[in-house]
Amino acid sequence: LIPYAEKYGKKLLIENTSWTVEGIHLASADDLNEMLDRLDHPLFGAAWDVGHANMGGLDHEQEVMAMGEGLRAIHVHDNDGGRDQHLAPYLGCADYDSLMRGLIRSGYRGYFTFESDSFFKMGKRAGQGGPLARPTPEIKRAAVAMLHLIGKTMLSAYGVYEDA
């Protein structure tokens, strides 16, 4: 991937997980920092996944601070602490005050990106052709508007909301 990333000017981000993949466990900032040190390439950075960290019981403030300038993106979503559910914030148990303190203290200037797609996931029985098999466009617009309001509220509470 590196030659393509260099050719097209793209960054490659490694996300924290809450599981082990092929013997590699990337749960904490220390894990991500070690991986970035081993890769030793300026196009690589870290993405902090709030839901994955919540499943691991990690302190967002501490972890975000430990990543420093290596942190290039965040994925904001919630869960019950046990499953990767991609819920909207406030529908689970993630500590968003800890996240916001860490982002501010670390000087993070990247996007506040939601990965809260559970509004749009379809259950095992979806697609059987009935009128309720998929959310309507109105429901999707309302869900996106709710996520915007949640993000605006979270960022405004810490004085960092910027209207684009």
Side-chain angles (χ1 to χ4, degrees):
L1 291 176
I2 293 174
Y4 291 104
E6 290 172 337
K7 179 178 178 179
Y8 297 106
K10 301 296 179 185
K11 304 285 186 190
L12 301 169
L13 303 182
I14 299 171
E15 180 176 302
N16 61 304
T17 66
S18 57
W19 51 85
T20 301
V21 177
E22 296 184 20
I24 299 172
H25 191 67
L26 296 169
S28 69
D30 288 343
D31 297 336
L32 290 170
N33 287 336
E34 180 182 346
M35 178 64 83
L36 293 175
D37 287 345
R38 288 181 182 203
L39 292 168
D40 192 28
H41 196 285
L43 291 180
F44 281 96
W48 187 249
D49 188 293
V50 175
H52 295 168
N54 190 51
M55 290 166 59
L58 298 175
D59 181 302
H60 300 293
E61 182 175 8
Q62 178 182 334
E63 299 294 323
V64 167
M65 290 295 300
M67 279 184 281
E69 292 183 13
L71 179 62
R72 307 270 174 80
I74 60 169
H75 295 160
V76 180
H77 60 102
D78 215 332
N79 57 46
D80 62 8
R83 295 175 293 149
D84 194 20
Q85 297 165 295
H86 291 228
L87 302 174
Y90 303 117
L91 296 179
C93 60
D95 183 353
Y96 291 103
D97 288 300
S98 176
L99 173 68
M100 292 304 301
R101 287 190 305 268
L103 294 172
I104 291 167
R105 287 186 60 211
S106 71
Y108 177 75
R109 299 291 303 162
Y111 292 108
F112 195 81
T113 306
F114 285 106
E115 192 178 22
S116 305
D117 55 342
S118 62
F119 282 119
F120 310 110
K121 289 185 178 177
M122 293 174 259
K124 293 178 181 176
R125 296 184 190 153
Q128 293 181 0
L132 302 177
R134 291 186 166 75
T136 64
E138 293 81 15
I139 290 173
K140 290 180 181 182
R141 281 192 290 277
V144 170
M146 178 59 73
L147 288 174
H148 179 265
L149 177 60
I150 290 169
K152 181 177 181 178
T153 301
M154 293 168 82
L155 296 169
S156 294
Y158 282 86
V160 295
Y161 177 74
E162 296 177 6
D163 199 7

